[in-house]
Amino acid sequence: MSTLFNFEKLIMWQKSIEFADRVIDLTENLSTPHKHFRLIEQAESASVSVSQNIAEGNGRGSTKEYIYFLRVARGSLYETVTLTVLFAKRKWIDELSFNDVRNRAEEIARMINATLRSLGEKLEARSS
């Protein structure tokens, strides 16, 4: 097996890949009376954006840039949750699926927030 990129070693990246995979599975099986392609595509795009931004930020080599991309990742995570709230409200997904996605998102958000705190402390220590 080839050597892993640094971002692939991050649990929050691994979890965000699983999160995106779950959301894509969910959107492929949405039960809607009409095909809401834009909303479905947006949910898939936002869910995939989480892992992409974690990876990109990790590869930038700058703490400030990493912080920026983690914030974008968190925003994409929240966007995905918002869309799944709408899907559940419209009964396009069942409560079990909604809760699964939400629980995964909460776990990833905690990891992103902890990393942001750690990186912020790192920046403060450098400037002191």
Side-chain angles (χ1 to χ4, degrees), residues 42-80:
Q42 190 62 30
E44 291 175 349
S45 178
S47 69
V48 171
S49 178
V50 179
S51 59
Q52 290 174 315
N53 280 289
I54 291 169
E56 186 168 356
N58 182 262
R60 287 292 178 130
S62 156
T63 303
K64 284 184 181 181
E65 284 184 292
Y66 195 14
I67 289 170
Y68 169 79
F69 281 98
L70 286 175
R71 287 178 176 155
V72 172
R74 185 176 58 191
S76 294
L77 184 68
Y78 293 171
E79 181 180 355
T80 307

Coordinates of all heavy atoms in Angstrom, one line a residue, residues 42-80:
Q42 N -26.9 20.0 -4.2 CA -26.3 20.8 -3.2 C -26.0 20.0 -2.0 O -24.9 20.3 -1.4 CB -27.3 22.0 -2.9 CG -26.7 23.1 -2.0 CD -25.5 23.7 -2.7 OE1 -25.5 23.9 -3.9 NE2 -24.6 24.2 -1.9
A43 N -26.8 19.1 -1.5 CA -26.5 18.3 -0.4 C -25.3 17.4 -0.6 O -24.4 17.3 0.2 CB -27.7 17.4 0.0
E44 N -25.2 16.9 -1.8 CA -24.0 16.0 -2.1 C -22.8 16.9 -2.2 O -21.7 16.5 -1.6 CB -24.2 15.3 -3.5 CG -25.3 14.2 -3.4 CD -25.6 13.6 -4.7 OE1 -25.1 14.1 -5.8 OE2 -26.3 12.5 -4.7
S45 N -22.9 18.1 -2.8 CA -21.7 18.9 -3.0 C -21.2 19.5 -1.6 O -20.0 19.5 -1.3 CB -22.1 20.1 -3.9 OG -21.0 21.0 -4.0
A46 N -22.2 19.9 -0.8 CA -21.8 20.4 0.5 C -21.2 19.3 1.4 O -20.2 19.6 2.1 CB -23.0 21.0 1.2
S47 N -21.7 18.1 1.3 CA -21.2 17.0 2.2 C -19.7 16.7 1.7 O -18.9 16.4 2.6 CB -22.1 15.8 2.2 OG -22.1 15.2 0.9
V48 N -19.5 16.7 0.4 CA -18.1 16.3 -0.1 C -17.2 17.5 0.2 O -16.0 17.2 0.5 CB -18.2 16.0 -1.6 CG1 -16.8 15.9 -2.2 CG2 -19.0 14.7 -1.8
S49 N -17.7 18.7 0.2 CA -16.8 19.9 0.5 C -16.2 19.8 1.9 O -15.1 20.4 2.1 CB -17.7 21.1 0.4 OG -16.9 22.3 0.6
V50 N -16.8 19.2 2.8 CA -16.2 19.1 4.2 C -14.8 18.4 4.1 O -13.8 19.0 4.5 CB -17.1 18.3 5.1 CG1 -16.5 18.2 6.5 CG2 -18.5 19.0 5.2
S51 N -14.7 17.2 3.6 CA -13.4 16.5 3.5 C -12.5 17.2 2.6 O -11.2 17.3 2.8 CB -13.6 15.1 3.1 OG -14.2 15.0 1.8
Q52 N -13.0 17.8 1.5 CA -12.1 18.5 0.5 C -11.4 19.7 1.2 O -10.2 19.9 1.0 CB -12.9 19.0 -0.7 CG -13.3 17.9 -1.6 CD -14.3 18.5 -2.7 OE1 -15.2 19.3 -2.4 NE2 -14.0 18.0 -3.9
N53 N -12.1 20.5 2.0 CA -11.6 21.6 2.7 C -10.6 21.3 3.8 O -9.6 21.9 4.0 CB -12.7 22.6 3.1 CG -13.2 23.4 2.0 OD1 -12.5 24.3 1.5 ND2 -14.3 23.1 1.5
I54 N -10.9 20.2 4.5 CA -10.0 19.7 5.5 C -8.7 19.3 4.9 O -7.6 19.7 5.3 CB -10.6 18.5 6.3 CG1 -11.8 19.0 7.2 CG2 -9.5 17.8 7.2 CD1 -12.6 17.8 7.8
A55 N -8.8 18.6 3.8 CA -7.5 18.2 3.1 C -6.8 19.4 2.5 O -5.6 19.5 2.7 CB -7.9 17.2 1.9
E56 N -7.5 20.3 1.9 CA -6.8 21.5 1.3 C -6.1 22.3 2.4 O -5.0 22.7 2.2 CB -7.8 22.3 0.5 CG -7.1 23.4 -0.2 CD -7.9 24.1 -1.3 OE1 -9.0 23.7 -1.5 OE2 -7.4 25.1 -1.9
G57 N -6.9 22.6 3.5 CA -6.3 23.3 4.5 C -5.1 22.7 5.2 O -4.0 23.3 5.4
N58 N -5.1 21.4 5.3 CA -4.0 20.6 5.9 C -2.8 20.7 5.0 O -1.7 20.7 5.5 CB -4.4 19.2 6.1 CG -3.3 18.4 6.8 OD1 -2.6 17.7 6.1 ND2 -3.2 18.5 8.1
G59 N -3.0 20.8 3.7 CA -1.9 20.8 2.8 C -1.3 22.2 2.5 O -0.3 22.3 1.8
R60 N -1.9 23.2 3.0 CA -1.4 24.6 2.7 C -0.1 25.0 3.4 O 0.6 25.8 2.9 CB -2.5 25.6 3.1 CG -3.7 25.6 2.2 CD -3.3 26.1 0.9 NE -4.4 26.1 -0.1 CZ -4.7 27.1 -0.8 NH1 -4.1 28.2 -0.8 NH2 -5.7 27.0 -1.7
G61 N 0.2 24.4 4.5 CA 1.5 24.7 5.2 C 1.4 26.0 6.0 O 2.5 26.4 6.5
S62 N 0.3 26.6 6.1 CA 0.1 27.8 6.9 C -1.0 27.6 7.9 O -2.1 27.2 7.5 CB -0.2 29.0 6.0 OG -0.8 30.0 6.7
T63 N -0.7 27.9 9.2 CA -1.8 27.8 10.2 C -3.0 28.6 9.9 O -4.1 28.2 10.0 CB -1.2 28.1 11.6 OG1 -0.1 27.2 11.8 CG2 -2.2 27.9 12.7
K64 N -2.7 29.9 9.5 CA -3.8 30.8 9.2 C -4.7 30.2 8.0 O -5.9 30.3 8.1 CB -3.3 32.2 8.8 CG -2.9 33.0 10.0 CD -2.4 34.4 9.5 CE -2.0 35.2 10.7 NZ -1.6 36.5 10.4
E65 N -4.1 29.7 7.0 CA -4.8 29.1 5.9 C -5.6 27.9 6.3 O -6.7 27.6 5.9 CB -3.9 28.8 4.7 CG -3.5 30.0 3.9 CD -2.7 29.6 2.7 OE1 -1.5 29.2 2.9 OE2 -3.2 29.8 1.6
Y66 N -4.9 27.0 7.2 CA -5.6 25.8 7.7 C -6.9 26.2 8.4 O -7.9 25.6 8.3 CB -4.6 25.1 8.6 CG -5.0 23.6 8.9 CD1 -6.0 23.0 8.2 CD2 -4.4 22.9 9.9 CE1 -6.4 21.7 8.5 CE2 -4.7 21.6 10.2 CZ -5.7 21.0 9.5 OH -6.0 19.7 9.8
I67 N -6.8 27.2 9.3 CA -7.9 27.7 10.0 C -9.0 28.2 9.1 O -10.2 27.8 9.3 CB -7.5 28.9 11.0 CG1 -6.7 28.3 12.2 CG2 -8.7 29.7 11.5 CD1 -6.0 29.4 13.0
Y68 N -8.6 28.9 8.0 CA -9.6 29.4 7.1 C -10.4 28.2 6.4 O -11.6 28.2 6.4 CB -8.9 30.2 6.0 CG -9.9 30.5 4.8 CD1 -10.8 31.5 4.9 CD2 -9.8 29.7 3.6 CE1 -11.7 31.7 3.8 CE2 -10.6 29.9 2.6 CZ -11.6 30.9 2.7 OH -12.5 31.1 1.6
F69 N -9.6 27.2 6.0 CA -10.3 26.0 5.3 C -11.1 25.2 6.3 O -12.1 24.6 5.9 CB -9.2 25.2 4.5 CG -8.8 25.8 3.2 CD1 -7.7 26.6 3.1 CD2 -9.7 25.7 2.1 CE1 -7.3 27.2 1.9 CE2 -9.3 26.3 0.9 CZ -8.2 27.1 0.8
L70 N -10.7 25.1 7.5 CA -11.5 24.4 8.5 C -12.8 25.1 8.7 O -13.8 24.5 8.9 CB -10.7 24.2 9.8 CG -9.6 23.2 9.8 CD1 -8.9 23.2 11.1 CD2 -10.2 21.8 9.5
R71 N -12.8 26.4 8.7 CA -14.0 27.2 8.9 C -14.9 27.0 7.7 O -16.2 26.9 7.8 CB -13.7 28.7 9.1 CG -13.1 29.0 10.4 CD -12.8 30.4 10.6 NE -12.3 30.7 11.9 CZ -11.5 31.7 12.3 NH1 -11.1 32.6 11.3 NH2 -11.1 31.9 13.5
V72 N -14.4 26.9 6.5 CA -15.2 26.6 5.3 C -15.7 25.2 5.4 O -16.9 25.0 5.1 CB -14.3 26.8 4.0 CG1 -15.1 26.3 2.8 CG2 -13.9 28.2 3.8
A73 N -14.9 24.2 5.9 CA -15.4 22.9 6.0 C -16.6 22.8 7.0 O -17.6 22.2 6.8 CB -14.3 22.0 6.5
R74 N -16.4 23.6 8.1 CA -17.5 23.6 9.1 C -18.8 24.2 8.5 O -19.9 23.7 8.7 CB -17.1 24.4 10.3 CG -18.1 24.4 11.5 CD -17.5 25.1 12.7 NE -17.2 26.5 12.4 CZ -16.5 27.3 13.2 NH1 -16.1 26.8 14.4 NH2 -16.2 28.5 12.9
G75 N -18.6 25.3 7.7 CA -19.8 25.9 7.0 C -20.5 24.9 6.1 O -21.7 24.8 6.1
S76 N -19.7 24.1 5.4 CA -20.3 23.1 4.5 C -21.0 22.0 5.3 O -22.0 21.5 4.8 CB -19.2 22.5 3.6 OG -18.6 23.4 2.7
L77 N -20.4 21.7 6.4 CA -21.1 20.7 7.3 C -22.4 21.2 7.7 O -23.4 20.5 7.7 CB -20.2 20.4 8.5 CG -20.6 19.4 9.5 CD1 -20.6 18.0 8.8 CD2 -19.7 19.4 10.7
Y78 N -22.5 22.5 8.2 CA -23.7 23.0 8.6 C -24.7 23.2 7.5 O -25.9 23.0 7.7 CB -23.5 24.4 9.3 CG -22.7 24.4 10.6 CD1 -22.2 25.6 11.1 CD2 -22.4 23.2 11.2 CE1 -21.5 25.6 12.3 CE2 -21.7 23.2 12.4 CZ -21.2 24.4 12.9 OH -20.5 24.4 14.1
E79 N -24.2 23.5 6.3 CA -25.1 23.5 5.1 C -25.7 22.2 4.8 O -26.9 22.1 4.6 CB -24.3 24.0 3.9 CG -25.0 24.1 2.6 CD -24.2 24.6 1.5 OE1 -23.0 24.9 1.7 OE2 -24.7 24.6 0.3
T80 N -25.0 21.1 5.0 CA -25.5 19.8 4.7 C -26.6 19.4 5.8 O -27.6 18.9 5.4 CB -24.3 18.7 4.8 OG1 -23.3 19.1 3.9 CG2 -24.9 17.3 4.4

